[in-house]
Amino acid sequence: MLHIGGYNYQVACGDDELDALGRLGNIVNQQIESARLMAGGLTEERQLLFAAILLADKLETAQNGAAPTPSPADYAEAAHIATIDRLTERIVAVAERLEAIS
């Protein structure tokens, strides 16, 4: 049984292939979750497409020995840092205004 994109799939395979299939299913599921994080509101079809593109990019990078592309987590972290920076700037501006009033 594979759990991918919120669905369970019954897949037939040999006993010797079960662990590998489970690992591969987990990788696909992780890529779908990454697609959801990077571009919320995607249809299931587009999530699968985006996950396939992410996996193809990783495969091509591995085959060419190129530097890896940033992961969705890297983009999410950068977005969080930018948000924190903007909030910090706003807090400092408010604090400066409050000091000027006092």
Side-chain angles (χ1 to χ4, degrees):
M1 178 86 54
L2 294 178
H3 183 77
I4 298 175
Y7 296 94
N8 291 318
Y9 297 93
Q10 188 70 33
V11 181
C13 65
D15 290 340
D16 59 332
E17 300 171 320
L18 191 57
D19 289 340
L21 185 60
R23 284 192 310 276
L24 295 172
N26 286 336
I27 291 169
V28 171
N29 191 53
Q30 289 170 357
Q31 293 304 310
I32 289 173
E33 291 301 319
S34 295
R36 282 184 188 147
L37 288 174
M38 290 176 70
L42 294 176
T43 64
E44 291 175 7
E45 183 178 78
R46 290 196 178 266
Q47 288 172 17
L48 287 171
L49 173 64
F50 205 87
I53 290 170
L54 291 172
L55 288 169
D57 179 56
K58 287 183 179 191
L59 176 62
E60 181 181 54
T61 298
Q63 288 175 340
N64 295 333
T69 357
S71 72
D74 294 333
Y75 291 118
E77 182 178 342
H80 292 305
I81 290 170
T83 300
I84 290 169
D85 287 344
R86 284 192 305 275
L87 290 173
T88 301
E89 290 172 4
R90 289 173 62 187
I91 290 168
V92 168
V94 168
E96 288 173 351
R97 280 187 246 140
L98 289 173
E99 284 180 12
I101 294 172
S102 305

